[in-house]
Amino acid sequence: MAEPVAEPSAEPSPDELPLADQFRQFAAAVEGDGAVTYAVICRGVAEDPELLALMEQAPLAQRRPNLLLAAVHFLLLGGVAHPLAAHYDTVRLVTGTTRAPPPPGADPVAELVADFRDFCLTKRAELLPLIAVRSTQTNEVGRCAALLPALCAIAASYGEGQPISLLDLGTSAGLNLLFDRYAYTYRQRADGAVLEAGADGSPVRLDCTVRGELAALPPLRPPPVAARAGLDRQPIDPDSEDAARWLLACQWPDNLPRFIRLRAALAIARTTTGRPAIFEGDLVDDLDAVAATIDDSRPLVVFHSWVAAYLSEGRQGELVRAVQALGATRLVHHLYAEAPNETRGLPTPPSPHPRPSSDLATALVHIGPGGAPPVRLADMHPHGIWLQWWAPA
């Protein structure tokens, strides 16, 4: 296989930045997606050494803004009383409360930053254990908007109706393994044309804007799935109230549609018969053992999204080689959706139209059996809001 090719980018990986700069960078990124609450909070944290010091309790790989934000959100969703709760749409939804209008002359930005700071310092005893042992768990089902056409394209190479098997690395609650239980609406940005796919009437509907032509997408008929398995260091049990709350806490507090969609996906996972087999273990070290539990008579698609960024560059290369090694004895495809500037150890070809910030694009790369070179299937928004499909149908 060709040597890994890094996405051209002048920007450093977040892990290469001081923590304060990580918070500033995160604020700018999420503000562009409408996450005003976290943008304000993160700019405040970046200037507060006492709050930044809380992150010293986190493992190095998890020392990112997302973890502190999720730990605070988790406590609020659990009913911890504090004025900060009034700023979070998700908490008000869960508790059924409303927010009183601010008094005349109030500064809502300063109030939010002050309330967040007070919460972190007064609830420090509850926060630190979470920061020390938890990890970011987004399990973003929106990425299935790109996963569906990618899996359809892979399955089509074997002929219509041929089953494939799935192994999701960093699977969390295994929600993306249930991609065929969701409904999809693809909207062409140019003229508003619409393409519907997936499970009609599903409570989880993914709405994705397609940049380019809808006709470029492969036929969107979900392939039969022979086996579904997931591997994660800290799997999420959708039946566990605590675990499900942590997954919800990793969402943004002012994006109610995404929060509600995740709750619906968790409900589907709880009621699905023949659930995916979820294994606890290391993505690299335990990959071979978990793959061995899946019948090797069907093509195996090993996939992951926004997971390799939490591995070192060297470990990313080991992951690629581990997946390739599986192909010595069976048909294996490696499919991933990762930010190229955070995953330089992966063999991601450059985008046909490189963007100013590769943080905003996610690569879907297919590595076929027999040492085939990687192919950039698509770019996409990290939450599946938009998709640019490059590969021919």
Side-chain angles (χ1 to χ4, degrees):
M1 193 191 74
E3 289 297 312
V5 180
E7 179 82 0
S9 175
E11 298 184 14
S13 163
D15 290 337
E16 299 169 348
L17 294 173
L19 192 55
D21 286 342
Q22 285 192 46
F23 274 90
R24 295 186 188 99
Q25 185 184 75
F26 188 78
V30 300
E31 188 172 44
D33 279 334
V36 177
T37 303
Y38 273 174
V40 169
I41 287 172
C42 287
R43 290 192 178 102
V45 173
E47 309 304 324
D48 194 320
E50 200 167 2
L51 295 186
L52 291 172
L54 295 173
M55 295 301 295
E56 294 175 3
Q57 302 296 317
L60 280 174
Q62 291 292 329
R63 206 166 288 178
R64 298 185 177 205
N66 315 58
L67 186 61
L68 175 62
L69 298 170
V72 170
H73 199 185
F74 177 80
L75 293 176
L76 291 172
L77 288 172
V80 172
H82 191 275
L84 180 64
H87 298 277
Y88 283 48
D89 296 342
T90 50
V91 177
R92 297 202 306 273
L93 174 71
V94 169
T95 59
T97 58
T98 58
R99 184 181 181 187
D107 183 346
V109 169
E111 181 187 0
L112 172 56
V113 172
D115 284 345
F116 187 86
R117 184 177 200 277
D118 184 75
F119 183 93
C120 289
L121 297 183
T122 59
K123 308 300 180 184
R124 180 187 179 96
E126 292 100 322
L127 272 177
L128 290 183
L130 294 171
I131 292 171
V133 303
R134 299 277 185 160
S135 60
T136 305
Q137 295 267 14
T138 52
N139 209 173
E140 177 53 61
V141 296
R143 295 178 196 139
C144 289
L147 181 63
L148 173 64
L151 293 178
C152 288
I154 292 172
S157 68
Y158 294 98
E160 188 172 353
Q162 292 300 310
I164 59 175
S165 295
L166 304 177
L167 173 52
D168 182 14
L169 306 183
T171 194
S172 192
L175 302 183
N176 288 351
L177 286 162
L178 303 176
F179 74 101
D180 49 355
R181 269 69 161 181
Y182 309 146
Y184 299 80
T185 300
Y186 294 91
R187 303 179 189 275
Q188 188 165 301
R189 183 171 64 170
D191 61 11
V194 171
L195 175 63
E196 305 281 355
D200 235 6
S202 172
V204 175
R205 175 164 289 281
L206 308 181
D207 202 314
C208 179
T209 297
V210 175
R211 297 180 173 183
E213 299 293 325
L214 283 177
L217 294 171
L220 298 179
R221 293 184 290 272
V225 179
R228 306 170 201 252
L231 175 60
D232 199 292
R233 275 193 173 277
Q234 295 181 321
I236 294 288
D237 178 1
D239 289 326
S240 164
E241 182 180 340
D242 177 270
R245 175 157 54 102
W246 177 255
L247 200 58
L248 290 164
C250 292
Q251 302 285 299
W252 299 343
D254 49 8
N255 191 330
L256 284 181
R258 188 172 165 225
F259 185 83
I260 292 168
R261 184 177 68 189
L262 177 57
R263 290 207 299 183
L266 284 166
I268 287 177
R270 293 186 190 108
T271 57
T272 293
T273 57
R275 288 188 192 180
I278 306 298
F279 297 86
E280 181 176 356
D282 183 84
L283 307 186
V284 178
D285 298 339
D286 298 310
L287 175 62
D288 189 63
V290 173
T293 67
I294 302 172
D295 182 2
D296 62 6
S297 65
R298 306 293 187 186
L300 174 64
V301 180
V302 179
F303 70 94
H304 50 91
S305 65
W306 220 271
V307 170
Y310 291 91
L311 305 177
S312 68
E313 185 173 340
R315 195 64 166 162
Q316 291 166 8
E318 291 176 14
L319 173 60
V320 172
R321 291 188 288 276
V323 176
Q324 288 176 322
L326 294 176
T329 57
R330 64 193 302 170
L331 291 171
V332 175
H333 301 263
H334 187 184
L335 179 68
Y336 58 82
E338 302 282 356
N341 75 319
E342 296 191 46
T343 53
R344 294 167 185 153
L346 302 184
T348 307
S351 172
H353 296 288
R355 305 183 186 281
S357 171
S358 57
D359 279 343
L360 301 181
T362 301
L364 284 164
V365 177
H366 160 60
I367 303 171
V375 175
R376 182 110 166 197
L377 293 182
D379 288 335
M380 60 177 283
H381 182 278
H383 302 152
I385 294 173
W386 60 262
L387 173 70
Q388 173 76 65
W389 188 261
W390 301 119

